[in-house]
Amino acid sequence: MSSPSASLPQALTAQARQEAQPLHWRSLGRLALALLLINSSLCFEAIWPTVYVQPSASLAPEFACVVLLVLACLVLFGRFPGRSPAGLPRGLSKALAIMLTFMAVGRYAQVVVPNILGRPVNLYWDVPQIPRFAWVTAQGLPWWMSALAVLGLLLGVWVLYRLMLWSIQTVGHGLAPWHKNPVVWGVAVLLLFAALPGFEKEHPPKHWVSQAVLPVYVNELGRLIDIAVPARAARLLPESTVVDVAMAAEPGQALAALHGRDLTMVFLETYGAVLYDQPQARQAVQATRDQLEQAIVASGQQVVSAFFTSPTIGGASDLAHLSVLSGIDLKDSRKHDVLLTTQRPTLIDVFQREGYEAFGLYHSVAWDWVERVYYGFDQYLSGPDLQYPGPPIGFWKIPDQYPLPRLEQLHPRTAQTKPRFTFFTTISTHFPFHQVPPYQPDWKKLLSDQPFDAHTAARAQAEPVLWDDMRPDFYRSINYAHTWLAGYFAQPQARPTVHVLVGDHQPTGSISREETPWDVPVFIVSSDKTLLNRFRHLGFTDGMEPAVRKPMGGLHHLTEVLLHGLGDSLQ
């Protein structure tokens, strides 16, 4: 019997000879499959305009990095003869698999979010919305369906991780015999050079390489640092705005042209210039837009309009809301997040300083919206505050027709109450544009215990989401908005009121179907001809369709225009 000391060198030599042999064709097949899986997980493309993806024949920039990283790890930590099986340590393989899973999820967001929202992914802004969106979505589903969706998501991530773990282990095992081979290293370096264009900020259209995922995370890290470091945060905001000028003016100047009349600012959800620019959209909504204008004129009022450019597209409406209120360009959402941590004044403060009571009307909000503290409304009404008794319709439950008359019922305006500034954000035209609420022509019944009859409500609630083509539902929701607004302006007003209607952003890419400007219309409705003449002098034109297609500026410029039109503080 040979001694252990004699057999050990023979075993090591045999192990070395075995690992030095060329790989079997099956091993080569597994290695090729593993490399393909890693590359595919980082370079797939979205199937426009859906949430689905498809493989791509391009090279993922991070794939070249992973190959070099595996070779380097084999040199430093690889298991060689005597430490079977050959390849990477299991702990390192798991760490790399987690990294690849994280990158694959980032790639999905990178290619799908522009399809849905019409803008690049913004992790700082989008990720906090995921739990909120999931919670709102779950309200309309049976509990078991929500549970299955959560389990399916967790299972999908786990399967992806297991695939990445198998791939990394297979690549590590397959490359182990050649981890010091200069030809292999040369091929890996050539792959990296070929993939370098994918790391460029303005990714060129090169068919062989996809856009890198890593810069998404790098940019978001920079965003977090900007917010966390006071010196960097301060540089994001201007030292002074037109709102500061208005706040410093003599009392009575900032809103002198209003003469104490109420003002209601309505943000029209997903109401963009695409409704004017694209023939199909124009044809679908023109009739109800004309009816709205006719209703305004019939009420003894007039409407003037102009285009402005929104700081966002397809979502993140808060950027548009606060751009108008603050007078600051918030296209860079970092500015929005920093602004919320300051005491900078807004139009709300201007109205309050002039003796107005400020109301914030957010019927789509059913959670504790902590950011409202910055806005400083005197009265804030969320969805639960309105005590809507009717059937829930759509993702957001309460139709847009309901909140304004309900506000009047809860907080009636009389000759003795303060002038009122109302900030109202609509929601019924929000993605995914279903279910379209029915219009209730009897506004008294709208405020009753049964706002809609059971048959009408059931028919609206039965509408499915048309994920493949959302345009028909989008157009129907816009027609609903025109219809209820026409009915609203036909109702007698408790007091003379100026209305400022602002489109918040263009619809998602799945609606526009093409690259579109970020422009939105702004309408000012009033019975005061002198006041409207001030806005005509500033660039607005008569009617619901602006005569000048070129925008007057960003929505933050609208702040200055409003302060010029409503008072004398900026003269």
Side-chain angles (χ1 to χ4, degrees):
M1 179 179 295
S2 60
S3 65
S5 60
S7 60
L8 182 57
Q10 296 175 359
L12 292 176
T13 302
Q15 179 80 11
R17 284 199 302 269
Q18 180 182 355
E19 294 191 356
Q21 293 296 320
L23 291 177
H24 191 272
W25 66 270
R26 290 183 179 176
S27 299
L28 286 174
R30 286 195 296 270
L31 175 60
L33 178 60
L35 292 171
L36 180 63
L37 282 173
I38 293 174
N39 185 71
S40 298
S41 70
L42 300 174
C43 72
F44 54 81
E45 298 291 343
I47 301 175
W48 190 87
T50 71
V51 296
Y52 307 114
V53 296
Q54 61 187 356
S56 170
S58 58
L59 171 67
E62 287 84 4
F63 169 75
C65 297
V66 168
V67 173
L68 283 171
L69 182 60
V70 169
L71 288 172
C73 288
L74 285 171
V75 171
L76 297 174
F77 310 112
R79 297 180 177 180
F80 305 115
R83 300 176 63 190
S84 182
L88 297 174
R90 186 166 183 81
L92 182 58
S93 296
K94 288 183 176 181
L96 292 175
I98 292 173
M99 179 193 72
L100 286 174
T101 302
F102 196 64
M103 298 294 286
V105 172
R107 175 65 182 178
Y108 182 83
Q110 182 186 44
V111 299
V112 169
V113 168
N115 266 10
I116 302 303
L117 299 183
R119 59 168 174 79
V121 63
N122 183 330
L123 295 182
Y124 186 87
W125 184 258
D126 294 335
V127 169
Q129 310 304 317
I130 294 175
R132 180 179 301 177
F133 178 77
W135 182 86
V136 172
T137 303
Q139 303 308 299
L141 299 174
W143 70 267
W144 58 267
M145 191 175 294
S146 300
L148 283 177
V150 172
L151 289 175
L153 178 62
L154 294 176
L155 179 61
V157 174
W158 181 82
V159 169
L160 176 62
Y161 163 73
R162 296 298 302 180
L163 283 174
M164 292 300 98
L165 179 60
W166 176 85
S167 298
I168 281 292
Q169 289 175 333
T170 302
V171 171
H173 181 78
L175 293 181
W178 296 302
H179 70 284
K180 293 184 179 180
N181 189 308
V183 175
V184 174
W185 276 90
V187 171
V189 171
L190 286 176
L191 280 176
L192 180 61
F193 274 102
L196 284 179
F199 287 105
E200 296 178 14
K201 185 174 182 180
E202 297 296 332
H203 180 245
K206 299 186 182 300
H207 65 275
W208 71 82
V209 60
S210 65
Q211 187 176 6
V213 184
L214 186 60
V216 173
Y217 295 105
V218 173
N219 291 339
E220 295 311 309
L221 178 61
R223 189 186 307 274
L224 291 173
I225 293 174
D226 282 339
I227 294 172
V229 178
R232 295 183 62 169
R235 289 197 295 268
L236 289 173
L237 301 179
E239 292 184 4
S240 179
T241 69
V242 291
V243 175
D244 294 304
V245 176
M247 291 292 289
E250 292 293 328
Q253 283 188 340
L255 305 175
L258 267 179
H259 300 296
R261 285 188 291 266
D262 297 336
L263 188 140
T264 297
M265 182 175 289
V266 181
F267 269 86
L268 303 174
E269 173 64 39
T270 321
Y271 199 103
V274 67
L275 297 169
Y276 297 84
D277 295 345
Q278 294 190 1
Q280 182 180 4
R282 170 187 284 273
Q283 183 179 6
V285 305
Q286 185 68 52
T288 56
R289 186 160 59 214
D290 291 343
Q291 291 170 7
L292 171 56
E293 183 173 346
Q294 293 165 9
I296 292 172
V297 174
S299 70
Q301 303 181 92
Q302 296 178 359
V303 56
V304 295
S305 58
F307 283 113
F308 289 80
T309 302
S310 176
T312 183
I313 185 169
S317 302
D318 289 1
L319 300 182
H321 301 169
L322 204 51
S323 285
V324 175
L325 289 177
S326 68
I328 299 174
D329 183 6
L330 299 180
K331 188 172 184 178
D332 182 350
S333 63
R334 293 177 299 173
K335 295 181 181 181
H336 169 273
D337 303 319
V338 170
L339 182 60
L340 290 178
T341 67
T342 71
Q343 300 296 320
R344 301 288 288 268
T346 68
L347 284 178
I348 298 172
D349 296 285
V350 174
F351 276 88
Q352 290 171 326
R353 180 178 178 270
E354 298 298 313
Y356 280 70
E357 187 174 16
F359 283 74
L361 188 55
Y362 288 75
H363 64 298
S364 63
V365 177
W367 53 88
D368 184 17
W369 182 47
V370 295
E371 292 93 336
R372 74 177 187 275
V373 174
Y374 171 76
Y375 289 75
F377 296 113
D378 295 305
Q379 301 286 343
Y380 168 75
L381 289 88
S382 64
D385 297 324
L386 297 178
Q387 299 176 335
Y388 171 66
I393 299 176
F395 278 80
W396 312 101
K397 314 306 180 189
I398 305 176
D400 284 346
Q401 185 186 358
Y402 183 79
L404 282 174
R406 177 58 171 160
L407 172 64
E408 197 69 45
Q409 186 181 53
L410 292 174
H411 298 273
R413 289 177 291 173
T414 66
Q416 289 72 39
T417 56
K418 287 183 176 182
R420 178 175 299 178
F421 171 71
T422 303
F423 189 83
F424 173 45
T425 62
T426 67
I427 199 66
S428 294
T429 51
H430 192 287
F431 173 90
F433 316 114
H434 102 304
Q435 299 136 353
V436 179
Y439 172 65
Q440 175 54 270
D442 185 346
W443 286 69
K444 290 183 178 180
K445 181 175 176 60
L446 179 70
L447 296 176
S448 69
D449 292 337
Q450 189 178 359
F452 306 99
D453 63 73
H455 175 71
T456 302
R459 185 172 56 190
Q461 290 173 317
E463 294 178 359
V465 181
L466 302 177
W467 294 106
D468 292 334
D469 186 3
M470 297 182 177
R471 287 176 298 175
D473 282 348
F474 171 64
Y475 300 149
R476 289 197 306 120
S477 70
I478 294 297
N479 285 328
Y480 164 74
H482 289 157
T483 301
W484 79 257
L485 281 168
Y488 169 74
F489 283 115
Q491 304 305 306
Q493 297 184 34
R495 292 191 309 215
T497 305
V498 175
H499 289 83
V500 179
L501 313 179
V502 185
D504 60 358
H505 55 70
Q506 293 273 43
T508 62
S510 59
I511 299 298
S512 61
R513 301 268 176 161
E514 60 186 52
E515 290 292 329
T516 59
W518 291 23
D519 303 337
V520 294
V522 175
F523 314 102
I524 299 178
V525 180
S526 177
S527 59
D528 187 339
K529 297 180 180 179
T530 302
L531 178 67
L532 291 181
N533 281 336
R534 293 172 67 101
F535 285 99
R536 291 186 182 101
H537 178 73
L538 291 169
F540 280 70
T541 59
D542 289 331
M544 292 286 296
E545 181 165 352
V548 180
R549 178 58 186 82
K550 183 179 179 181
M552 292 177 60
L555 277 181
H556 62 292
H557 292 116
L558 175 60
T559 317
E560 182 176 1
V561 172
L562 288 174
L563 288 171
H564 271 295
L566 297 177
D568 301 318
S569 61
L570 303 185
Q571 304 300 322

